[in-house]
């Protein structure tokens, strides 16, 4: 008999991507390790942490998952009205989206799984950049999303 494996991290990541796609219609969401010049604007989600908070008996855990979400906007000729305000609008909308969805069902096939205590932090429109992001006219809004999940192991 094959062992089934439930990828909690991937299911939470997919739910987060779905929430972003629903809120920001027409925007793509990717899962790249580094910036890729794809479109004038898109979201990218990367995993930042996966910690066990508590082992429960008989075979369960409470885990803390972390994600970094980056909104990339390529726009030449920086202006406060066109660029900075666009980044702030996205960040403010995501902050409200996470606040409204801090406890969400993310998977169901006979069982329901929920993430809890979802929160938005470290919001910046001038985040540190890696080498792939050192591009003129590339503007970035960056924020972290942390969530707890109960898992059967």
């Amino acid at each position: 008999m094959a062992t089934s494996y439930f990828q909690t991290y991937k299911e939470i990541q997919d739910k987060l991507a779905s929430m972003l796609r629903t809120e920001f219609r027409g925007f793509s969401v990717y899962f790249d390790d580094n910036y890729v010049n794809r479109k004038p604007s898109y979201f990218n989600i990367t995993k930042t942490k996966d910690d066990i908070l508590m082992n429960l008996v008989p075979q369960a855990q409470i885990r803390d998952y972390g994600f970094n979400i980056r909104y990339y906007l390529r726009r030449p000729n920086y202006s406060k009205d066109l660029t900075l305000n666009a980044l702030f609008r996205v960040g403010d909308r995501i902050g409200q989206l996470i606040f409204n969805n801090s406890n969400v069902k993310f998977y169901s096939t006979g069982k329901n799984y929920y993430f809890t205590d979802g929160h938005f932090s470290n919001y910046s429109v001038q985040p540190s950049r890696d080498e792939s992001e050192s591009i003129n006219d590339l503007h970035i809004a960056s924020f972290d999303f942390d969530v707890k999940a109960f898992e059967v192991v």
Side-chain angles (χ1 to χ4, degrees):
M1 183 166 129
T3 302
S4 64
Y5 176 69
F6 182 75
Q7 296 179 331
T8 305
Y9 155 71
K10 184 179 179 328
E11 297 298 334
I12 294 172
Q13 176 182 270
D14 290 348
K15 181 63 178 180
L16 180 57
S18 173
M19 289 166 48
L20 289 172
R21 287 184 189 110
T22 300
E23 182 71 17
F24 298 92
R25 297 216 181 268
F27 286 75
S28 297
V29 179
Y30 297 99
F31 308 100
D32 300 316
D33 290 331
N34 295 304
Y35 173 75
V36 177
N37 189 357
R38 297 176 185 265
K39 296 180 174 195
S41 60
Y42 70 90
F43 291 96
N44 193 64
I45 300 172
T46 55
K47 181 180 179 180
T48 59
K49 70 178 174 179
D50 176 356
D51 297 325
I52 298 172
L53 297 178
M54 186 181 306
N55 282 311
L56 304 170
V57 179
Q59 295 179 333
Q61 299 173 334
I62 297 177
R63 297 182 83 95
D64 186 20
Y65 290 100
F67 302 86
N68 178 257
I69 304 167
R70 289 194 176 228
Y71 171 67
Y72 292 115
L73 175 64
R74 276 185 329 201
R75 181 172 283 163
N77 304 322
Y78 172 86
S79 78
K80 181 179 177 184
D81 291 335
L82 293 176
T83 307
L84 190 58
N85 288 342
L87 296 175
F88 283 138
R89 277 192 303 274
V90 166
D92 291 346
R93 284 175 66 192
I94 289 178
Q96 189 62 48
L97 178 69
I98 298 303
F99 178 79
N100 292 342
N101 293 282
S102 62
N103 300 299
V104 173
K105 181 169 66 171
F106 62 88
Y107 183 80
S108 180
T109 54
K111 291 185 180 179
N112 294 330
Y113 294 87
Y114 292 85
F115 62 70
T116 61
D117 299 330
H119 64 277
F120 170 84
S121 62
N122 299 326
Y123 173 39
S124 175
V125 294
Q126 293 183 328
S128 60
R129 295 175 179 234
D130 66 24
E131 189 175 308
S132 69
E133 298 168 327
S134 296
I135 298 169
N136 288 338
D137 302 327
L138 177 63
H139 310 282
I140 305 170
S142 176
F143 23 89
D144 293 331
F145 173 67
D146 294 318
V147 66
K148 294 177 181 58
F150 174 81
E151 293 183 14
V152 176
V153 292

